[in-house]
Amino acid sequence: MTDAAMEFVTPLTFQALSGHSVHSKLLDSDEENAMGHINLARWADEIIIAPASANSIAKFAHGIADDLLSTVVLATQCKVTLAPSMNQAMWLNLAVQENITALRARGMVILNPEHGSQACGETGPGRMVEPGHICQEILQTEVGPLSGVSVLISAGPTREPIDPVRYITNRSSGKMGYALAEMAKSAGADVTLVSGPVALVPPAGVKLLAVETAQQMYEQVLDCSANANIYIGSAAVADYSPIAEENKIKKDGANKTLLLLKTRDILASVAESNDALFTVGFAAETEHLEAYAKDKLARKKVDMVAANWVGRADGGFDKENNAVTVYWRGGQQDFPMTAKRHLAQQLIKLIAQHYYEKN
Ligand code: PMT
């Protein structure tokens, strides 16, 4: 326990509930005799810091060892998992985000905090993930229904440049795709996420390939699909792209016309290029949801299509919740409106079930 942790809960409470002695001081002669920081660092199979404060995260990122926890973390060679918890403005602060990026790059697992109302009265990202989720992460990272399965996911929008300063894009936030990546990872899969420009932190343990245009997304997805078992196309890929001007288009008083060229269909190309791949597309529709989704299932020759309404008050683009109906040849299933993470968990379960039926 750090000094700050002991301000909230006494070591005696921790000891009574866990049935284990509590370590808190770096230079305590009794504790050093019993198990010093080096022994503690060697003894642990895995270190989970929950909640991880902005201060502790900064110490880990910069190698500061001025208390027992930061010293053990510096000395250990085991897997370290952080469950950050702090005020939303602190979490979004560039200093914290840069520390998080540095720790991820060094192999620490970061369980992204959840979005919601906070003790300080504000609303935003910064609430520690639920303890059950932390346990699930620890238990399921290696073994799960998708253990040994390679899952490729596309997420977010694409940006199609008009000139060096302007582009065409859409309202996708990437939330649905990132939630699918997180849940596929929790199910034990080896996950690669090809993402358009979004303001999200990638889930722990997921390989992120950042792209901007539909063409770049096409190239990355096609390249990675050769080694994947499942492809989930949740990205909102531009169907049309302008021919980008080399210089900024000048205002001259006349109306302008943009010629839009058709982009390549990533989902259909991936499904065609690799017969063994289990392919899941999304259908984002403002009308005729079922008919259009079934048409995409047949025309793009994919195994499943998750159809969602878009442009409505709830669900779809850039919302916290979503609802889908999933269609496959010979069946369909409704998933009512719920948080995108919860929906993603249910979708991954369904996809895993159908993937094994096909293989
Ligand atoms: O990102 P969020 O804000 O969380 O929103 C989630 C979402 C609404 C974007 C998501 O749930 C969703 O519906 N994604 C698909 C959006 C889309 O482009 O739908 P579509 O009906 O236009 O395309 C059908 C399928 O073809 C999709 O799987 C799409 O990825 C794929 N496609 C489309 C065009 C193209 N050139 N290549 C493709 O692979």
Side-chain angles (χ1 to χ4, degrees), residues 153-174:
I153 298 174
S154 71
T158 62
R159 263 184 200 168
E160 308 305 318
I162 297 170
D163 67 15
V165 295
R166 304 177 179 100
Y167 53 78
I168 298 176
T169 190
N170 59 64
R171 295 180 190 276
S172 170
S173 63

Side-chain angles (χ1 to χ4, degrees), residues 154 156 171-176 231 233-239 263-267 281-285 296 300 308 310 316-319 322 340:
S154 71
R171 295 180 190 276
S172 170
S173 63
K175 286 174 191 158
M176 192 69 244
Y231 171 65
S234 71
V237 189
D239 290 320
T263 58
R264 291 199 267 190
D265 195 302
I266 303 168
L267 182 62
F282 270 74
E285 310 294 350
K296 279 171 186 163
K300 302 197 184 202
N308 46 199
V310 290
F317 286 98
D318 201 17
K319 300 283 188 336
N322 203 12
K340 281 181 178 169

Side-chain angles (χ1 to χ4, degrees), residues 8-66:
F8 285 93
V9 188
T10 67
L12 196 61
T13 309
F14 252 63
Q15 186 174 316
L17 290 177
S18 69
H20 295 286
S21 53
V22 173
H23 302 263
S24 60
K25 291 194 177 58
L26 179 59
L27 299 171
D28 179 303
S29 52
D30 288 344
E31 284 188 17
E32 282 292 307
N33 284 339
M35 199 185 266
H37 59 270
I38 298 295
N39 285 341
L40 269 177
R42 285 191 194 134
W43 164 83
D45 296 315
E46 178 166 352
I47 295 177
I48 298 116
I49 299 154
S53 66
N55 186 49
S56 290
I57 289 168
K59 285 196 215 175
F60 306 149
H62 296 278
I64 294 170
D66 65 351

Side-chain angles (χ1 to χ4, degrees), residues 21 28 36 61 91 95 100 146 164 191 198 230 243 245 293 305 331 359:
S21 53
D28 179 303
W91 170 251
I100 291 285
L146 289 177
V191 183
V198 296
I230 297 174
I243 301 165
E245 293 288 337
V305 166
N359 288 277

Side-chain angles (χ1 to χ4, degrees), residues 95-135:
V96 173
Q97 287 305 316
E98 284 181 359
N99 288 336
I100 291 285
T101 305
L103 292 173
R104 267 210 176 101
R106 287 177 219 155
M108 266 195 201
V109 176
I110 317 287
L111 304 178
N112 288 335
E114 287 174 357
H115 190 282
S117 59
Q118 303 193 304
C120 54
E122 294 178 17
T123 301
R127 287 164 61 108
M128 191 182 85
V129 289
E130 292 299 320
H133 177 72
I134 299 175
C135 294

Side-chain angles (χ1 to χ4, degrees), residues 131-143:
H133 177 72
I134 299 175
C135 294
Q136 200 187 8
E137 279 290 330
I138 297 163
L139 297 172
Q140 291 197 348
T141 37
E142 302 301 333
V143 186

Side-chain angles (χ1 to χ4, degrees), residues 101 104 151-156 174 177-178 181 185 190-211 217 220 224:
T101 305
R104 267 210 176 101
V151 178
L152 176 63
I153 298 174
S154 71
Y178 276 55
K185 182 70 200 161
D190 178 14
V191 183
T192 302
L193 180 61
V194 179
S195 174
V198 296
L200 298 175
V201 180
V206 164
K207 181 177 175 195
L208 177 76
L209 298 171
V211 297
M217 189 173 273
Q220 283 288 13
C224 297

